[in-house]
């Protein structure tokens, strides 16, 4: 869970300031409630009743506290549903607001627009501080790893397929009368995730933030093995549990070819030879790269063809794929396409969130 004490950006300071306004009214939302509120803010429009109702639902547990919540909301944001209270000048302090947005619903728009802009901006343009803000939202929105149905089954009290042996054994205890039937239900197993992060020169502006995406997945419990590659393959899994402020400098030191050249085929072959025995139908491979390659494209195709037979799915996240008019012209990217399940854009926060949603809906 994100430690709310480390949220230092103006936007989040302003949002957490509202929590203090609630406490001043005698309400005391817990950290889990505040975490859920911050997470929910990316799922509702910050306009009309949506923001107000979502905030009240997540931060208030009893109807008796609605009046205190309304007072805090009106005083801090200067806005409330018209049938409840008239608009009044906001007394709260969202530090990023301009003077023209100092009252009424404008305060809400002032809070929302920087977050919206942050998610839509190219990852390469983000400052280190903005990258950390994005990382915290990715962590807030990440979810426990999905499971897939396995061939093996387990006995349960409910299900579609009757377990006759188990049911009969229990019936013997009641004189042959079936009072407690047992059913068979498929076991659900975790996928195993392998991530190959391109840290070459063309990917350097994106690699650090994509590494933060991998950290968010690992911290949410995804069984993830991560490797960095440029001209060589380097295992970076031990860096994932570290705080970003420690992990990012270590990434540059551990991956000695950081911001260097790219040997896609060579790196894919090294991964196949090193991890090939661990791969299987529960394995998902994530390649995070722009596909620019200084090696031979035939090597990329041969390596991915072999990997295609050993893993369940291959997702390629390309920071350039979401740009208008993008076409996979790079040699490495063209060679990879026939063996991919999907080529996905990964150049903005919005595109990373879309990828998280895709992972959540894995069958």
């Amino acid at each position: 869970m994100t430690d709310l004490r480390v949220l230092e950006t103006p936007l989040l300071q302003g949002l957490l300031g509202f929590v203090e306004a609630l406490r001043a009214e005698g309400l005391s939302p817990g950290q889990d409630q505040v975490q859920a509120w911050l997470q929910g803010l990316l799922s509702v429009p910050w306009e009309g009743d949506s923001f107000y109702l979502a905030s009240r639902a997540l931060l208030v547990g009893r109807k008796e506290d609605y009046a205190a919540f309304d007072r805090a909301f009106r005083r801090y944001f200067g806005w409330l549903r018209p049938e409840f209270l008239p608009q009044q000048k906001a007394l709260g302090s969202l530090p990023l607001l301009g003077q023209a947005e100092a009252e009424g619903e404008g305060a809400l728009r002032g809070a929302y627009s920087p977050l919206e802009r942050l998610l839509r901006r190219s990852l390469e343009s983000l400052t280190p501080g903005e990258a950390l803000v994005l990382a915290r939202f990715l962590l807030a929105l990440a979810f426990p790893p999905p499971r897939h149905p396995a061939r093996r089954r387990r006995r349960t009290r409910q299900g579609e397929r009757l377990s006759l042996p188990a049911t009969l054994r229990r019936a013997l205890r009641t004189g042959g009368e079936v009072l407690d039937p047992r059913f068979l239900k498929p076991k659900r197993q975790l996928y195993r995730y392998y991530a190959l992060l391109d840290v070459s020169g063309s990917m350097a502006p994106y690699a650090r933030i994509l590494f933060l995406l991998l950290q968010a997945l690992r911290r949410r419990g995804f069984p993830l093995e991560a490797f960095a590659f440029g001209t060589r393959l380097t295992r970076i899994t031990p860096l994932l549990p570290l705080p970003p402020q420690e992990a990012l400098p270590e990434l540059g030191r551990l991956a000695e070819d950081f911001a260097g050249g790219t040997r896609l085929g060579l790196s894919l072959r090294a991964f196949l030879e090193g991890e090939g025995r661990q791969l299987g139908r529960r394995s998902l491979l994530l390649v995070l790269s722009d596909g620019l390659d200084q090696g031979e494209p035939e090597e990329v195709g041969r390596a991915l063809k072999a990997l295609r037979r050993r893993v369940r799915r291959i997702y390629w996240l390309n920071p350039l794929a979401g740009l208008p008019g993008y076409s996979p012209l790079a040699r490495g990217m063209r060679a990879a396409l026939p063996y991919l399940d999907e080529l996905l854009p990964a150049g903005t926060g919005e595109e990373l969130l879309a990828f998280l949603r895709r992972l959540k809906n894995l069958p």
Side-chain angles (χ1 to χ4, degrees):
M1 180 175 292
T2 303
D3 185 350
L4 300 179
R5 292 171 297 182
V6 302
L7 302 178
E8 299 173 350
T9 66
L11 169 63
L12 292 173
Q13 282 181 352
L15 292 174
L16 295 177
F18 175 56
V19 177
E20 295 304 317
L22 292 176
R23 289 174 179 152
E25 290 288 344
L27 304 181
S28 55
Q31 183 169 333
D32 288 346
Q33 288 176 284
V34 175
Q35 179 76 27
W37 178 55
L38 292 174
Q39 180 176 341
L41 293 185
L42 290 180
S43 303
V44 299
W46 288 31
E47 58 187 21
D49 288 352
S50 299
F51 177 85
Y52 164 81
L53 292 174
S55 298
R56 192 180 70 176
L58 292 169
L59 293 173
V60 181
R62 304 183 310 164
K63 288 186 177 181
E64 296 88 335
D65 294 330
Y66 282 178
F69 176 86
D70 288 350
R71 290 193 299 271
F73 196 98
R74 180 187 63 186
R75 294 183 66 251
Y76 196 80
F77 291 112
W79 169 82
L80 197 58
R81 294 165 66 181
E83 63 267 34
F84 277 20
L85 294 168
Q87 292 186 6
Q88 295 190 11
K89 186 170 182 177
L91 301 180
S93 176
L94 284 171
L96 48 84
L97 301 183
Q99 290 184 351
E101 297 174 315
E103 62 178 294
E105 194 173 348
L108 229 48
R109 287 195 298 269
Y112 174 63
S113 57
L115 174 59
E116 187 178 37
R117 288 196 298 269
L118 176 66
L119 293 175
R120 292 180 177 177
R121 281 172 53 194
S122 170
L123 299 183
E124 65 176 336
S125 70
L126 300 183
T127 66
E130 290 170 333
L132 291 178
V133 174
L134 178 59
R136 290 169 187 140
F137 274 105
L138 291 175
L139 178 60
L141 287 177
F143 42 84
R147 296 173 181 264
H148 71 93
R151 292 181 180 179
R152 298 183 63 181
R153 296 175 179 268
R154 59 187 177 91
R155 289 188 291 272
T156 63
R157 290 181 178 273
Q158 295 180 341
E160 297 179 357
R161 180 177 172 183
L162 181 69
S163 175
L164 188 59
T167 299
L168 292 177
R169 282 196 299 269
R170 290 184 172 274
L172 290 175
R173 304 173 188 175
T174 56
E177 189 172 359
V178 178
L179 299 178
D180 190 15
R182 284 295 185 267
F183 298 85
L184 291 176
K185 188 175 183 179
K187 288 186 175 181
R188 299 193 67 84
Q189 297 178 319
L190 289 173
Y191 294 98
R192 295 197 301 265
Y193 299 83
Y194 295 86
L196 304 181
L197 175 62
D198 188 343
V199 295
S200 63
S202 61
M203 279 290 295
Y206 304 99
R208 290 182 175 87
I209 301 178
L210 293 176
F211 173 80
L212 298 177
L213 170 67
L214 301 182
Q215 277 199 311
L217 293 176
R218 182 61 181 255
R219 291 180 65 184
R220 282 300 186 194
F222 280 69
L224 174 67
E225 281 285 329
F227 300 82
F229 73 90
T231 56
R232 52 179 288 185
L233 189 71
T234 304
R235 183 172 180 267
I236 58 173
T237 305
L239 302 182
L240 295 178
L242 300 178
Q245 298 88 334
E246 297 178 22
L248 291 174
E250 286 298 320
L251 175 64
R253 285 191 286 268
L254 186 61
E256 297 178 0
D257 52 350
F258 196 96
T262 315
R263 290 288 189 272
L264 262 175
L266 183 65
S267 300
L268 290 169
R269 176 60 59 179
F271 171 74
L272 178 62
E273 294 174 353
E275 301 294 323
R277 292 183 179 179
Q278 309 298 323
L279 303 176
R281 298 308 297 169
R282 288 195 292 123
S283 302
L284 274 68
L285 177 60
L286 313 177
V287 183
L288 301 93
S289 172
D290 56 11
L292 301 178
D293 186 22
Q294 296 173 332
E296 294 299 324
E298 292 79 9
E299 293 181 355
V300 177
R302 285 195 296 268
L304 282 175
K305 183 178 181 180
L307 285 167
R308 173 70 277 172
R309 294 195 295 264
R310 300 197 185 194
V311 300
R312 187 182 186 93
R313 294 190 180 184
I314 301 178
Y315 293 111
W316 193 296
L317 279 67
N318 188 330
L320 308 180
L323 297 177
Y326 171 79
S327 181
L329 300 178
R331 296 189 308 163
M333 197 71 260
R334 288 204 311 270
L337 279 177
Y339 308 104
L340 306 182
D341 289 276
E342 287 191 82
L343 172 63
L344 302 169
T348 67
E350 281 187 336
E351 290 168 353
L352 297 186
L353 296 179
F355 170 67
L356 286 179
R357 289 192 291 271
R358 187 174 296 271
L359 277 188
K360 187 175 184 179
N361 295 323
L362 281 174

